[in-house]
Amino acid sequence: MQDEYDAIIVGAGINSLACAVHLGAKGWRVGIFEQAATPGGAVKTLELTEPGFRHDWAAMNLSLFAGSGFFKAHGADLVGRGLEFAPASNCFASVFDDGTWLGVSTGPGETRARIARFSEADAKAWDRLCAEFPGAAEYVFALLGNSMQMHVQGRLLAKALFRKGFAWTADLARLLVSSPRTWLTETFESPHVRATLAAWGMHLDFAPDMAGGAVFPYLESMASQNFGMVIGKGGADTAVKALLARIDAAGGEVHCGNRVARVLRNGSRATGIELADGTKIAAKRAVIANVAPSGLMRLLDGASGDAAFDAKMAKFSHAPGTMMIHLALDGLPDWTAGAELKSYAYVHIAPSLEQMARTYQQAVAGLLPDEPVLVVGQPTAIDPSRAPAGKHVLWVQVRMVPGVIRGDAAGAITGTDWASVKEIYADRAIGMIERHAPGFKAKILGRAVVSPLDLEADNPNLVGGDQVAGSHHLSQNFLFRPALGHATGNTPVEGLHITGASVWPGAGTGAGAGYMLARKLGGQ
């Protein structure tokens, strides 16, 4: 283990690895120190159930990574080191209690035709959104893909006003601050269409009535329609393996099983780190912490030297938790709503805005939701290489659930300890799938249930099982992620930077925070 690097990065998540790749390309020697046994953070692929069945631990969708500025800059190199995507043309769908379904695909006219079965007016609204999307996407993706600095975003605003005019720009701004329910009810009349798109808000922490959440259902539906989706060939860790290979080629090092205890300082400047075993490692140019704000304060022994900054970090709030269910299957679910659903990357069980809103409120209140939102990932429908021939894996996110259990909204589960409750609660979720796909339980060959606290134990950034590493509500997004004045990852300690999903532009596999920071430190 070297005792000095140009930069030290705490944590080996996707933002850390992207940051290290870009800094390495600029000639920096980078050392990454990770407390877990496996790098990748939420992007890991493991044999969790039966031999030969490869399960994505948390993140499955690599579309943000494939479409990122980082991939544009470094993608060719990563592909040369083994990165491979598996494309999905049937992206996501929802099943409903009345036996119907609705899905978004890339095929010409397919999605429109499905929407028209529910409402011709909604099909026309979909046509309008699709026609307008290229113009809107230019500005929305520029907003999400650039540093959250006033002069940068100011230039983007001026460009929109000059090219598109005030009314168009104001409409876009209204979309960015609207709740999913507001946008969806103004745009579509069918509750089935509204629910299908609203489910994407629940992938973050945007229940239907949360301001600022409309943009996520909008972007995911439009992007899926226009570009499709990608997952990793063989597992999401195809991205991690390629990133590690590039870091190694540049002379960087990744040390797993090494918990960082604190950031070392000389006066007001960060000079390195101290590991849990007492080993001290020097950083000549920067210490980069891919941690949640609470984790940053632990590394600083509770004080940065700036009381106002410390107070902001202490007030940083997390979204409700997530539970993961990984299943090895003898066959994909036989969805009663339609056999075509077997070809979709995701099938949501989230039948109405009301159910999603209720689930969210129950989780926030500390209750196990009586009917949680289920995100049923079918990766082997897209990439059969993840399981033995003829077999499948199922990736199920149970959203939302409380990190700390105070009770059960259904009144059936009396326990409050996740260690004893998780298998029982998994049975509830599996029962929901069974109702939409009779015979599903009989197909299960093996299962592994990961509670919110299991997620946090593996990755302390996921506080209470919060997979998005901090709420994205308006009070904690854009200029306020993680806090006003620190959206670029700067801290009061000279040479110390914070990155990761807790920093703008937030959660996902796009590696935006790590890449933006690396560009800033490395001179673009």
Side-chain angles (χ1 to χ4, degrees), residues 248-290:
D248 181 68
E253 297 178 343
V254 179
H255 305 282
C256 291
N258 284 273
R259 185 176 67 84
V260 178
R262 62 183 50 82
V263 171
L264 300 174
R265 287 181 273 184
N266 183 359
S268 62
R269 180 171 183 80
T271 58
I273 60 170
E274 181 179 341
L275 302 180
D277 66 4
T279 303
K280 296 180 180 180
I281 317 291
K284 291 191 291 186
R285 304 171 78 172
V287 176
I288 299 165
N290 182 353

Side-chain angles (χ1 to χ4, degrees), residues 78-226:
L78 297 175
V79 169
R81 298 179 191 278
L83 170 63
E84 189 174 358
F85 297 123
S89 58
N90 288 335
C91 302
F92 67 92
S94 285
V95 291
F96 302 102
D97 295 337
D98 61 5
T100 61
W101 70 280
L102 175 60
V104 173
S105 305
T106 59
E110 289 183 8
T111 305
R112 189 205 190 279
R114 295 190 196 106
I115 292 173
R117 291 201 292 263
F118 293 99
S119 165
E120 178 59 31
D122 286 355
K124 291 177 180 177
W126 184 261
D127 290 339
R128 176 179 56 79
L129 290 173
C130 290
E132 294 173 351
F133 179 64
E138 175 186 357
Y139 293 91
V140 176
F141 288 142
L143 169 70
L144 300 176
N146 276 290
S147 174
M148 189 48 64
Q149 296 175 283
M150 291 301 294
H151 69 281
V152 174
Q153 298 300 337
R155 285 198 298 269
L156 179 62
L157 175 61
K159 179 181 175 182
L161 287 168
F162 178 74
R163 292 187 176 181
K164 298 289 190 177
F166 177 79
W168 185 94
T169 305
D171 283 344
L172 180 60
R174 186 172 183 269
L175 171 67
L176 293 173
V177 300
S178 291
S179 71
R181 188 189 297 272
T182 296
W183 177 67
L184 290 165
T185 53
E186 289 178 350
T187 308
F188 301 105
E189 66 179 14
S190 166
H192 294 78
V193 177
R194 294 171 183 171
T196 299
L197 304 189
W200 277 101
M202 299 294 281
H203 280 242
L204 293 173
D205 61 320
F206 284 106
D209 299 299
M210 297 298 174
V215 69
F216 297 101
Y218 168 74
L219 278 182
E220 193 60 48
S221 60
M222 289 293 101
S224 293
Q225 162 82 26
N226 283 270

Side-chain angles (χ1 to χ4, degrees), residues 404-424:
V404 177
I405 303 170
R406 295 189 176 92
D408 177 18
I413 298 174
T414 58
T416 57
D417 175 19
W418 268 115
S420 61
V421 164
K422 66 181 184 180
E423 296 291 345
I424 303 170

Side-chain angles (χ1 to χ4, degrees), residues 506-522:
T509 58
Y515 179 51
M516 289 181 203
L517 178 60
R519 293 185 70 209
K520 181 175 75 170
L521 295 177

